[in-house]
Amino acid sequence: MEKKSKMEWHGRFRGRGLRFTIPRRLILETLSSTIDHLSAEEIYIRVHRKYPNVGLTTVYRTLDLLERMGIISRFQFGDGRSRFELVQSSTKAGHHHHLVCTSCKQVIDYDDFVEEEVELLKKVEKALAKKHGFEINGHVIQFYGVCNNCQKQP
Amino acid sequence: MEKKSKMEWHGRFRGRGLRFTIPRRLILETLSSTIDHLSAEEIYIRVHRKYPNVGLTTVYRTLDLLERMGIISRFQFGDGRSRFELVQSSTKAGHHHHLVCTSCKQVIDYDDFVEEEVELLKKVEKALAKKHGFEINGHVIQFYGVCNNCQKQP
DNA sequence: ATTCTATTGAAAATGGTTTTCATTATTAAT
DNA sequence: ATTAATAATGAAAACCATTTTCAATAGAAT
Ligand SMILES: [Mn+2]
Ligand SMILES: [Mn+2]
Ligand SMILES: [Zn+2]
Ligand SMILES: [Zn+2]
């Protein structure tokens, strides 16, 4: 699962006239090997541990690029920083939504009822597209609450 | 609709040992008289026009307070600043969700299918509460797309 | 190995928001 | 109306995630 995805990625970059550099590979490997929703700085720290001459600026730039390429998704969970996740990963389910603890900020992926959610979303999208002339290309569904652990704490 | 809500608000503040000051009243009046989702700075500009010695700091502080009091809601639509809306207003519908143009950043309230949405949300909330022990107290549903007008522009 | 230029890292700049602190204004009691 | 207690304010500075600048570096096709 190393060589293969590496070449796949390489191809996607080269296809757009982009270079597949060490920082880009390391950032993709970092996102590939976690189920967490990492911030730019968290990614930077992990990459930096392996390869100390990668800068935070490059992490930001690469994340923007990967988002534009459709390889990662950006989320705002309310802690003031963007968080990122591989669009398709071997370590987590496909289309899913998020459950956020407003106290400890942990984020849980869930896919209970997603099919029903997606079905309803499609219906709403169609209605909104017609009614407002919008061309819809994305949605966000998030639940906020207090996790089991944080409910105990004062 | 002036004197009445003014006294209602006054009571809500005094009930918590808080004072009902001029900046607070002006900010509430500003939010009451628009259907837009204003940013702190936009609110500041409008308040400042009427009453030039109100500071931006106070606007931020007041918005935080009003959110904690449950009088306004805060949203992040992806333009890097928080936007606010009165929870219950005479100028707009009740429970609704949002449609955001990623190009011109306009936000449209919609309530088509909200009942179905809310019904499904309840079901999901219940499942998530049981499965993860979460105490859920809010949700976000947003659609992103390109508005009719922006589709024409290059 | 060479050339072309996309990419990089460091430092500075940006922009929304928060903190600090001395001053002011709201309120309840007088 | 005055007063006293203290919540609230405004200005300036600090904060912090992100972006911009720019000279140096390093992919990749030849
Ligand atoms: Mn996720
Ligand atoms: Mn709204
Ligand atoms: Zn928690
Ligand atoms: Zn638009």
Side-chain angles (χ1 to χ4, degrees), chain B residues 37 75 85 92 96 98 109:
Chain B
H37 305 78
F75 297 97
E85 172 176 67
K92 58 173 71 185
H96 65 269
H98 295 116
D109 292 339

Side-chain angles (χ1 to χ4, degrees), chain B residues 19 21 24 53-55 58 61:
Chain B
R19 296 171 183 178
T21 61
R24 289 175 180 179
N53 48 341
V54 173
T58 296
R61 274 190 295 233

Side-chain angles (χ1 to χ4, degrees), chain B residues 28-78:
Chain B
L28 279 168
E29 286 175 3
T30 300
L31 287 169
S32 298
S33 60
T34 185
I35 61 166
D36 293 337
H37 305 78
L38 301 178
S39 67
E41 192 181 13
E42 288 168 349
I43 293 168
Y44 165 70
I45 289 168
R46 296 186 187 202
V47 168
H48 198 260
R49 273 204 294 264
K50 302 273 173 190
Y51 202 93
N53 48 341
V54 173
L56 179 55
T57 309
T58 296
V59 174
Y60 274 107
R61 274 190 295 233
T62 301
L63 291 170
D64 286 348
L65 175 64
L66 293 175
E67 187 190 17
R68 289 197 307 273
M69 293 174 76
I71 294 174
I72 65 175
S73 304
R74 174 194 304 262
F75 297 97
Q76 297 280 163
F77 294 124

